Amino acid sequence: MNAKLPRAFYARPTLEVAEALLGKVLVHRTRTGLTSGIIVEVEAYIGESDPACHAAPGPTTRNAPLYGPPGHAYVYLNYGVHYLVNVVTEPKGSPAAVLIRALEPLEGLAIMRKRRTRERTARHQRRTRILDHELCKGPGNVTHAMGISLRENSLDLLGGELYIEDRGYAIDAVTWSPRIGITKATERHWRCFASASRSVSGRPPGITTTQRR
């Protein structure tokens, strides 16, 4: 039975939420159709003391969702190229979030492939066939394939449009590594991923453990 994650799931320390998100299913319902994928790679960004977190400069209009209640989406445009989708964590007023870096596609693969092909064409890249496990490999590809943009910023993940479900998928082993694609606080092992998944976007050295259940 599919169970949408409750608010209490997100209102916890961010590193706990990050690990617990692995194996959960991100779902997006649009007019085009439903797409979903198993979360297999995430990164944590925690508070104003984290130089890589958008909350580092303090409250702004852009980062307002981070300071809001947990269980909401925080979507932003990264370097004017890709939208990135994050899950807001911890109690209201404690800015933190988990970036969704990769999914293993489950539903709506034809829709995902059409969106990714259109995106490649717009960027003048070759229109080679995208393999299934590559459709949502990397945070920018997640949002392109899932049809997530600034329209979804601040959405309540307990609603019916963009949400996360527990469908009983188990992740046997998890690897913790430094965060990637950033230049600040790269020494923090706040990125975790399903060790065996082909959809993971990068594999720097890390520590592999059995996931806590």
Side-chain angles (χ1 to χ4, degrees):
M1 180 178 179
N2 301 345
K4 193 176 297 182
L5 299 182
R7 187 83 60 203
F9 177 94
Y10 305 103
R12 296 184 290 162
T14 304
L15 294 178
E16 290 183 15
V17 177
E19 185 176 25
L21 279 171
L22 297 180
K24 303 302 188 291
V25 178
L26 180 66
V27 182
H28 192 203
R29 294 181 179 273
T30 68
R31 293 180 179 178
T32 305
L34 183 145
T35 52
S36 71
I38 303 170
I39 299 171
V40 292
E41 182 187 0
V42 298
E43 280 178 342
Y45 292 87
I46 308 172
E48 295 175 355
S49 63
D50 178 2
C53 181
H54 283 186
T60 65
T61 300
R62 182 196 193 197
N63 68 24
L66 290 176
Y67 289 83
H72 284 69
Y74 173 47
V75 183
Y76 61 87
L77 185 62
N78 192 46
Y79 297 117
V81 179
H82 300 294
Y83 296 108
L84 303 186
V85 60
N86 302 257
V87 174
V88 176
T89 58
E90 308 206 9
K92 183 177 180 179
S94 299
V98 175
L99 171 66
I100 307 299
R101 287 196 55 91
L103 308 173
E104 289 184 1
L106 277 179
E107 299 165 291
L109 272 69
I111 298 173
M112 291 183 182
R113 183 165 284 107
K114 185 175 181 179
R115 287 170 174 160
R116 287 290 318 281
T117 301
R118 186 167 61 237
E119 170 254 338
R120 281 189 171 188
T121 301
R123 297 179 65 193
H124 306 291
Q125 295 178 332
R126 287 194 307 159
R127 294 187 61 175
T128 53
R129 180 175 174 81
I130 305 170
L131 299 177
D132 289 355
H133 73 275
E134 295 177 335
L135 286 169
C136 300
K137 188 173 187 175
N141 292 333
V142 167
T143 54
H144 280 299
M146 295 287 287
I148 297 171
S149 68
L150 291 179
R151 291 187 300 271
E152 284 68 49
N153 187 36
S154 297
L155 272 184
D156 190 344
L157 296 176
L158 274 67
E161 182 178 344
L162 181 67
Y163 51 92
I164 301 175
E165 292 183 332
D166 185 349
R167 298 189 184 179
Y169 293 105
I171 302 296
D172 293 329
V174 168
T175 299
W176 287 90
S177 81
R179 296 176 294 190
I180 60 178
I182 58 174
T183 58
K184 300 176 181 178
T186 56
E187 75 286 352
R188 303 182 188 188
H189 281 59
W190 286 359
R191 171 176 174 264
C192 63
F193 56 88
S195 306
S197 176
R198 292 198 301 163
S199 294
V200 171
S201 63
R203 297 181 183 275
I207 301 171
T208 301
T209 62
T210 300
Q211 187 175 26
R212 295 188 298 271
R213 286 295 180 183

